[in-house]
Amino acid sequence: MEKDDLIKYLDDFMKSEIYLNQKELLEEKQKTLKYGDNVVHINYYDGVITSDDLTLCSSLLKNADIELSSYDENGVLYNSLEDYTNLMSVVLNDELTKSIIFGVLGNFVWDTIKTITKNVFNKVKENNKSTKREITFGIHLSLNKNTGFKFRLNSKMSSETIDKSLDHAKEFVKTQQPNEEYQLPIFLYYDNKNNVWIPVNILEDIRKKKAKEKSLNRKKKK
């Protein structure tokens, strides 16, 4: 699948009846969002984490002079690009990301963000043990509106690995250059053996999956 094909694919989805039917729902949910350089956002599913969990996260962040914003993903539909994002996530805007990776803010702020990330991760991990559909989770960082990074925190990770991988995520973003034009956020998974984040070539991965589907369909017809 070429870049133009992916753009068309996304455009068709944005115009689909499925997407348009939930436009009102999305607009209503977005009213809960907060904006500002000192805001950490959590995308979540009510039931996986509770209002008490969010209150605890908010309290921890307040101690670091950071505000919490949250968004309940229940009712939101995703297309097949779900494989290249995280259904639940802790999201840092570009100004907060840069203040952390370049040392403008102290270690306490980053340590607090890691703490709430691990708290949410543990809730997701607990949920995934008792449900058929796995809820994916990660942390999203950005350098500007054109440059984002989605780090997948696998539910099989240990607490020690999570802590280490989050520090490595911060260092990875620090080495990247911001894009002048918009590009899809880079999706990454963690290599436990080598302690590095591996970027996924989304276009190539989709192409391989489409080719595999076509091959299976041809075999079924024979």
Side-chain angles (χ1 to χ4, degrees):
M1 181 180 284
E2 300 297 330
K3 184 177 181 180
D4 290 343
D5 294 329
L6 179 59
I7 292 173
K8 184 179 183 304
Y9 176 79
L10 291 170
D11 187 57
D12 288 344
F13 174 72
M14 295 292 284
K15 293 177 181 177
S16 69
E17 184 177 353
I18 293 175
Y19 183 82
L20 292 175
N21 283 344
Q22 64 172 341
K23 184 178 180 182
E24 186 176 340
L25 172 66
L26 293 170
E27 290 176 349
E28 185 65 28
K29 285 177 175 289
Q30 286 173 355
K31 292 178 182 178
T32 66
L33 302 182
K34 295 179 183 178
Y35 299 93
D37 295 348
N38 68 327
V39 173
V40 167
H41 186 75
I42 294 179
N43 293 323
Y44 71 100
Y45 283 95
D46 186 27
V48 178
I49 60 175
T50 66
S51 58
D52 288 342
D53 296 324
L54 291 173
T55 298
L56 175 59
C57 289
S58 179
S59 177
L60 291 170
L61 289 170
K62 276 185 179 179
N63 291 334
D65 294 323
I66 302 294
E67 285 192 69
L68 174 68
S69 173
S70 59
Y71 183 94
D72 182 4
E73 293 280 1
N74 278 300
V76 178
L77 300 177
Y78 287 88
N79 61 356
S80 58
L81 290 179
E82 179 182 309
D83 290 341
Y84 310 103
T85 189
N86 297 302
L87 295 178
M88 285 181 54
S89 55
V90 172
V91 183
L92 277 62
N93 60 55
D94 51 359
E95 291 303 323
L96 184 55
T97 297
K98 288 185 287 188
S99 293
I100 288 172
I101 65 176
F102 296 121
V104 177
L105 296 176
N107 290 334
F108 181 66
V109 173
W110 177 238
D111 287 342
T112 302
I113 291 171
K114 287 198 296 181
T115 295
I116 68 161
T117 301
K118 286 184 285 187
N119 287 351
V120 177
F121 169 81
N122 288 332
K123 290 291 182 177
V124 173
K125 189 172 184 177
E126 183 180 328
N127 172 83
N128 288 344
K129 290 179 180 178
S130 58
T131 57
K132 291 182 179 180
R133 186 197 182 198
E134 181 179 358
I135 299 295
T136 56
F137 173 69
I139 188 167
H140 298 179
L141 307 177
S142 61
L143 289 175
N144 61 20
K145 63 180 181 180
N146 300 323
T147 316
F149 309 88
K150 298 183 176 184
F151 298 90
R152 169 70 57 83
L153 299 173
N154 190 294
S155 60
K156 294 181 181 179
M157 286 180 167
S158 66
S159 179
E160 181 182 353
T161 303
I162 288 292
D163 197 71
K164 183 167 52 178
S165 69
L166 289 172
D167 286 334
H168 289 162
K170 182 181 72 167
E171 293 306 312
F172 178 89
V173 175
K174 190 175 182 179
T175 66
Q176 304 302 301
Q177 294 297 318
N179 301 317
E180 293 184 4
E181 297 181 356
Y182 178 78
Q183 293 186 24
L184 285 173
I186 297 174
F187 177 77
L188 307 96
Y189 68 90
Y190 195 66
D191 181 343
N192 287 330
K193 184 177 180 180
N194 297 304
N195 296 321
V196 293
W197 284 99
I198 308 295
V200 174
N201 186 326
I202 296 177
L203 295 178
E204 179 63 17
D205 203 51
I206 292 175
R207 186 192 66 77
K208 288 180 179 179
K209 287 182 178 180
K210 293 292 183 183
K212 186 177 181 179
E213 286 177 9
K214 288 180 180 179
S215 177
L216 290 173
N217 288 334
R218 283 195 297 266
K219 290 179 181 179
K220 288 179 181 178
K221 291 177 180 179
K222 289 181 179 180

